[in-house]
Amino acid sequence: MKIKSLDGKVVKIVSNRYTVRGDDGKEYKAFARGKLRLQGDIYVGDNVKVVFERGDAIIDVVKPRQNQLVRPYVANVDSALIVVAKEPEPDMLLIDKIIINCHLEGIKPVLLYNKADLATEEEINALFAPYKDYLDCVVLSALEKKGLEKLKPYIEGKVVCFAGQSAVGKTSLLNAILDLNLKTDGLSAKIKRGKNTTRHVEIYQALGGDIMDTCGFSMLSIVSINPEELIYYYEDFIPYQDKCRFKSCTHTEEPDCAIKQAVENGELSKERYERYLAIYEEIKEHKRRLYD
Ligand SMILES: Nc1nc2c(ncn2[C@@H]2O[C@H](COP(=O)(O)OP(=O)(O)O)[C@@H](O)[C@H]2O)c(=O)[nH]1
Ligand SMILES: [Mg+2]
Ligand SMILES: [Zn+2]
């Protein structure tokens, strides 16, 4: 019997050609119905229904998204593997913003220290210190192919993406994982495209899951919250806030703030708190410009 329709996932988009991995495990090159393209977009990661008409595969339905990110556009991400390294120097403000975005989008963040071959254990531990109690932290080296198998529990059965600054080694890590997979399962191929073409997104299969090279985290979603809500995206700060003198404490200028107290006692990271203040101000400033 001929198949008339099939469910699948969009794994690659090049102009108006969509590659869909069907639930049968096969890949189909598909076009999209005009109405879908008019409504906006189909993203890599979208779960779709494909119908077959006169030998063509056509995306007929895009199913509701669990989340969506921009620049590049991707959908239905379960987990973000946030990469930092000794070089380039970690931009922790960006990392904190990515973590906040993860919480906003319902994505599980995992912190990866790549290029471990360049760093000392002390340097790695110092970077992980403010995060390790509530985020999984993994040390690895794409160059030396060390620690890669530790990623399996974070990837298996999930859709994940790499996030982080340019040149921390996201593409190298993905390639190293694909190599590992090639050796163990005889599956998948290396990324063929050039180094700086992260404009198009593609899903690769390895370690039992779907991996995107990068995911787009729009800073817009941070400014979509109110400054006083920011605290809810700091799992490490939340336990202290009940002890602030004011119930409405924003943990910025108020007296008897338990979070500031914990920073002074060294229980919370001073640097991370200062970044909290910077992000708080950024959101406040954005609101001011919106409503003035
Ligand atoms: N020493 C060292 N260099 C690495 C490692 N992983 C990646 N690199 C280098 O870091 C640079 C940037 O890597 P790339 O994967 O393009 O970073 P991306 O921009 O995050 O995708 C390249 O020159 C890589 O060879 C590593 O584990 N150790
Ligand atoms: Mg890259
Ligand atoms: Zn407070």
Side-chain angles (χ1 to χ4, degrees), residues 154-191:
Y154 304 110
I155 296 176
E156 196 165 33
K158 299 188 178 75
V159 178
V160 307
C161 62
F162 283 105
Q165 286 153 268
S166 180
V168 288
K170 298 181 292 295
T171 304
S172 306
L173 279 170
L174 178 53
N175 265 323
I177 291 166
L178 292 176
D179 269 351
L180 182 77
N181 218 53
L182 195 62
K183 278 187 205 121
T184 53
D185 303 341
L187 259 179
S188 83
K190 267 214 170 196
I191 304 168

Side-chain angles (χ1 to χ4, degrees), residues 87 114-118 140-144 164-173 195-196 198 213:
E87 292 165 8
N114 184 37
K115 312 194 190 185
D117 52 288
L118 300 178
L140 30 70
S141 165
L143 184 77
E144 297 186 332
Q165 286 153 268
S166 180
V168 288
K170 298 181 292 295
T171 304
S172 306
L173 279 170
K195 268 195 174 165
N196 293 314
T198 339
D213 186 355

